[in-house]
Amino acid sequence: MRLVVAALLLLGCQELFWRAPARGWHLPGAPPPVEALLGDESSTGGAIAITGRVVDLAPTFGDGVKLTLAVETADDAAASGLLGVSLHETSRRWRTGDRIALRSRLRRIRGFGNFGEPDWAAYNARRGIFASAAAWSDGDVTVLDPRDGVVDRLRRLFSDACDRVGGQGAEILEALVIGDRTGIDATTSIAIRDAGLAHFLAISGSHMALIVAIVVAVVRGTAGLSLTLLERFDVMKGAALAAALAIVGYGAICGGDVSVYRSELMALAAMAALWRGRPANGLRALAGSAIVLALAMPGVAEEAGFQLSYVAVVALVLDARQRRVARDARIGELRPVRAASAGGVSGAQPGAATRAKTVATTARRLCGGALRLTLVCWAVTTPIVAHHFERISLVAPVANLLAAPLVSAVVVSGLGGLLLLPVLPGAGVLLVRAGAFLSSLIVGVATFCASLPYASLTTPTPGPSLTVALTGLVLLGLLPSGAWRRRSQLMLAATALACIAVGARDRWRGDRLDAWFASVGQGDAAVVRMPGGKVWVVDEGSPGRGRMVVAPLLRQQWIGRVDVLVASHVQSDHAGALTEILDEFDVGEIWIPDGPCQTPAAAAIERDAARRRVPLRRVSRDDAPPHEDGVEVLWPPRGAAACNDNDHSQVLAFSFAGRRLLFTGDIEAPAEIAIAASRSIGAEVLKVPHHGSRTSSTESFLSAVAPQLAVISLGIDNQFHFPAPAVEDRYAAHDTAVARTDRDGAVHVTVARDGSVSFETFDRGGPVPVAGPSSVGRLAPAIAAH
């Protein structure tokens, strides 16, 4: 036990001396943390001048990067702590150790507030990040003189060598050895994802195993040169200590991902066992590392990295035990036969045919074992991958079988280059070049496998119950057979079938209408599922929000096809992510407003629609396509204005069971007055026009609609200061309850067959009644009590 504690203390020293500054831990005597500037507010009133050092970095959607900054000063005063800084556009290659200065408003970390999304505030808090800042491009930040530590210098040396080699092979090498993925381009990332090879880019147990093997071999080989050393010292204890130090040092270089921590803890436990001369217990080390991580990072078990890492290792340990038991049984059966053969002919040498047969049998068993391992890992992790990423790879077993030997060779070459670059630069560069070449072969494997038909499929989100049931079925298959295993498998299979049946019923139910007003920041996005299962997406938010928010929302509802994809008008905050949904889903048709469309965004929509052969309709109230979905087009008139004009937004009414939901885009007073004068527009639920701008939600319009619930889609502390106080006062005067996505998160509205209308919000919960089946009751008292 003392040796195990000592091993864990090594990890603690790594945290204290290498990562404490990087994590921004508030050590005694340190300056106040940067998040203290927020006080009790969600953001600072104005921009704050920040300087700090980059300690971590990650790619983002598009051309941006997210930097984790160890803050040095805030408004010219000393500060500490970590700050997440998002650069929307960057052409610079960022490295840990870089120092920057910028001015930005600070925001408290929080998620968008959509149903089913990860708790991003807790995720960042586990990493010591409680506030964020943003800059648009490299020109908005000033690069200062770096202050590299030992780890940063070593990382930079390796990164510079990879840059000199160039190509995506070098970028993959950098990701595999030091965990920097920012140089991998979108095409390579997608190929690796679709081939099921993304897990190779995580620093894992295989890295630690290779380090241990190299260190032990070096120590034993060095000790073997001296008879005195062999006589006076326990070589294996020295090897265990040296390997433990190497593990801690490498962990400091590659960062603090969950897979790194798990691998370090398990490797240190194995070195403690080696020190004591005992065999390592894989399951015990795995359980111990899980307990340590759960205590050190509460809530970490909810993360995809934790679940995938631990479930895969559990499956491998159980499979190894099962194969060992089968092998021992086979050897026991062969012993009498071998003894009888030995008694018959003594000293006989096997012939060439026998030797060839033995080699063939061994090769077949090795290949079969490797294929079995890849199939086991694929089967046990696929439900978890589907749950977190809504996508699975069908070619992953084959791709992993081809790539695994290459990955091992790349890691060996890369680690050698990392060690030799500071002392023998020429030899180090040669190893980096070799590793980059082998990595380019991995890219080739990924590209080939991802190009195969049905290589990768998007999936609905299984949900926790179905994910646990499917994963448990695979793990049970790796345990010894018996009545208890059969009963457990039947129970899990029944649970899985029940989950599938419930999901399918909800997806195509015909007794209600569901509408989700997504929280996408400053913008609009909504999903309407009509009775019978037809799906409309009305606006998609700004670029990036399609993949980050709308697509996960659709897959959580088991939606794989969008029947009509609507852009109320072609502006970035409404249609910026339309092409992302078009890329991710089967789409029946696209609606944009009638009128001239000469903008780059409209051209991109037309181009992608033509490429995917999706009909693109220019819609007006005068010639709206006939639909049987209870959908009515109220605006715009034919050819009134450009398709990106606010007042030319499509206004759609969705009806069911005598109730109405009205979607209004960004229309303003002139359109509101014209619509109210031309037809009946009463609705129980109103998507507030133009995010609550003072130029919309006129008195005459509200009187004509008479909504019970108004939903305002807008961003937290947005620069436009929406909603206008006068607009909120008008809704209050009409006794209309208001749900705001910046304050309440996403809103889910349900219209039942009997005409009852209710809603729930991400932050407030629900359901809260809007209208009953026989009468319309005002909602303000209900929401006040809620």
Side-chain angles (χ1 to χ4, degrees), residues 204 337 604 780:
S204 63
V337 177

Side-chain angles (χ1 to χ4, degrees), residues 21 24 31-34 49-53 68-74 77-83:
V34 66
I50 299 290
T51 64
R53 183 172 65 90
T68 301
L69 210 64
V71 177
E72 297 171 353
T73 66
S80 63
L82 293 183
L83 185 68

Side-chain angles (χ1 to χ4, degrees), residues 91-451:
S91 58
R92 189 179 191 276
R93 187 61 188 273
W94 294 94
R95 307 290 190 198
T96 59
D98 289 342
R99 294 177 63 246
I100 64 171
L102 76 157
R103 291 187 60 85
S104 173
R105 186 165 56 169
L106 304 187
R107 297 178 183 272
R108 194 175 302 280
I109 296 283
R110 61 162 283 176
F112 285 105
N114 290 289
F115 300 105
E117 77 175 7
D119 188 342
W120 293 115
Y123 176 89
N124 282 278
R126 285 190 286 272
R127 289 150 179 82
I129 307 172
F130 300 93
S132 67
W136 188 258
S137 66
D138 296 341
D140 298 320
V141 301
T142 301
V143 179
L144 308 175
D145 292 334
R147 293 177 185 170
D148 291 347
V150 174
V151 169
D152 290 329
R153 284 198 294 272
L154 193 56
R155 285 175 60 94
R156 191 182 295 272
L157 196 63
F158 188 80
S159 295
D160 289 343
C162 290
D163 283 350
R164 287 195 296 273
V165 174
Q168 284 298 291
E171 302 297 348
I172 295 295
L173 175 66
E174 199 168 347
L176 279 167
V177 176
I178 62 173
D180 185 350
R181 308 181 191 183
T182 55
I184 301 176
D185 62 31
T187 301
T188 304
S189 294
I190 292 172
I192 289 173
R193 179 201 68 185
D194 291 349
L197 299 178
H199 64 98
F200 280 137
L201 300 184
I203 307 298
S204 63
S206 59
H207 293 69
M208 302 303 173
L210 288 169
I211 288 173
V212 169
I214 292 170
V215 171
V216 170
V218 169
V219 171
R220 292 183 65 179
T222 304
L225 298 176
S226 171
L227 186 60
T228 304
L229 286 176
L230 292 174
E231 291 175 346
R232 293 186 178 181
F233 299 101
D234 187 334
V235 175
M236 295 313 296
K237 285 190 176 182
L241 179 59
L245 293 172
I247 289 165
V248 172
Y250 183 60
I253 291 170
C254 19
D257 285 343
V258 171
S259 63
V260 176
Y261 284 125
R262 191 267 305 161
S263 304
E264 283 187 271
L265 288 166
M266 290 190 67
L268 290 174
M271 292 306 94
L274 180 62
W275 178 283
R276 302 182 68 182
R278 296 181 179 179
N281 187 312
L283 284 179
R284 187 178 299 170
L286 188 68
S289 65
I291 293 170
V292 171
L293 279 179
L295 292 174
M297 304 172 70
V300 71
E302 299 175 3
E303 297 182 13
F306 183 96
Q307 295 171 9
L308 291 169
S309 180
Y310 277 89
V311 167
V313 175
V314 166
L316 291 175
V317 171
L318 293 178
D319 182 67
R321 286 190 173 188
Q322 190 180 69
R323 287 187 288 113
R324 186 166 59 248
V325 169
R327 183 191 61 201
D328 292 344
R330 191 166 55 249
I331 291 174
E333 292 173 359
L334 291 175
R335 242 176 225 142
V337 177
R338 288 176 177 171
S341 300
V345 181
S346 178
Q349 297 294 321
T354 303
R355 288 196 298 271
K357 184 177 180 181
T358 301
V359 170
T361 302
T362 303
R364 188 167 59 251
R365 285 179 179 171
L366 288 174
C367 292
L371 180 59
R372 176 188 171 94
L373 287 178
T374 58
L375 287 172
V376 166
C377 286
W378 175 80
V380 78
T381 57
T382 290
I384 301 173
V385 171
H387 177 71
H388 288 284
F389 305 109
E390 297 101 16
R391 180 180 292 273
I392 61 172
S393 173
L394 300 183
V395 298
V398 175
N400 277 263
L401 197 63
L402 296 173
L406 292 171
V407 170
S408 297
V410 167
V411 173
V412 171
S413 298
L415 289 175
L418 186 68
L419 292 173
L420 291 179
L421 279 171
V423 291
L424 295 172
V429 169
L430 284 177
L431 286 174
V432 167
R433 289 187 178 277
F437 171 74
L438 294 170
S439 296
S440 66
L441 298 181
I442 296 174
V443 175
V445 169
T447 303
F448 169 74
C449 291
S451 68

